[in-house]
Amino acid sequence: MPGTLPVAGHAALIAIEVDPTGAQGTFTTVPEVTSSIDHNTTRENTEISAHASLVDSYIVSQLIHRDTVNMELSYKHANTVHAALSNHYYSKVLFGMMIIGPDGSAPSTDTIIQSGELISFSKSAPNRNGEYKVTASFRPTGPFKVNGTLYS
């Protein structure tokens, strides 16, 4: 018997543009997410301390590097959002993704909106309940918004 379709796991919501050719910014929540959703950023830094200095000094890059967003989900073939993820991967489609944290209310609080592509989409063999486990990795690219502020 198929399971229910919970909205998402671990108090965060992840939503995607099911139809990236349609109205920009129309997001649909991805159901059956079973992993936590992490959004990590870093800025490179270079140590420039003088040889005889007793205090370290650094130059911090202005470039923000975003890690891939990884998610696991209980994949349902009949679910249109799951089918869209699969289609986006195999069609090599750039699409929007929105992550809303536990304290969030889109688009201005605890929310990240960005575009990118799926760089991996791995589907395991079905378990004894007939459900598939999918692991997908989203590579963000280009400008993005954090809590309503655009970064480009």
Side-chain angles (χ1 to χ4, degrees):
M1 177 186 242
T4 60
L5 291 173
V7 174
H10 304 277
L13 298 177
I14 188 163
I16 65 165
E17 289 178 316
V18 173
D19 179 10
T21 63
Q24 186 178 14
T26 302
F27 295 96
T28 304
T29 301
V30 179
E32 295 280 350
V33 175
T34 59
S35 62
S36 62
I37 304 300
D38 299 321
H39 182 266
N40 300 313
T41 59
T42 58
R43 290 172 50 202
E44 292 182 16
N45 60 81
T46 304
E47 184 176 359
I48 58 167
S49 304
H51 179 68
S53 177
L54 298 177
V55 179
D56 56 348
S57 297
Y58 291 87
I59 293 176
V60 179
S61 170
Q62 297 302 305
L63 183 64
I64 297 173
H65 293 275
R66 291 171 284 165
D67 290 348
T68 57
V69 177
N70 301 308
M71 66 178 145
E72 293 178 355
L73 54 112
S74 295
Y75 188 84
K76 310 284 190 212
H77 285 279
N79 184 276
T80 57
V81 179
H82 292 177
L85 280 171
S86 177
N87 185 56
H88 290 354
Y89 175 74
Y90 290 107
S91 299
K92 304 172 192 93
V93 172
L94 185 74
F95 64 97
M97 174 183 280
M98 179 168 55
I99 301 169
I100 305 171
D103 295 327
S105 61
S108 60
T109 308
D110 201 10
T111 302
I112 299 158
I113 300 172
Q114 55 196 348
S115 294
E117 291 185 56
L118 288 177
I119 58 171
S120 71
F121 188 85
S122 304
K123 186 167 36 169
S124 67
N127 64 22
R128 64 183 180 182
N129 294 330
E131 295 178 345
Y132 292 89
K133 180 65 70 179
V134 164
T135 303
S137 296
F138 176 83
R139 164 50 70 198
T141 185
F144 64 104
K145 285 186 177 181
V146 176
N147 300 331
T149 302
L150 179 65
Y151 297 93
S152 55

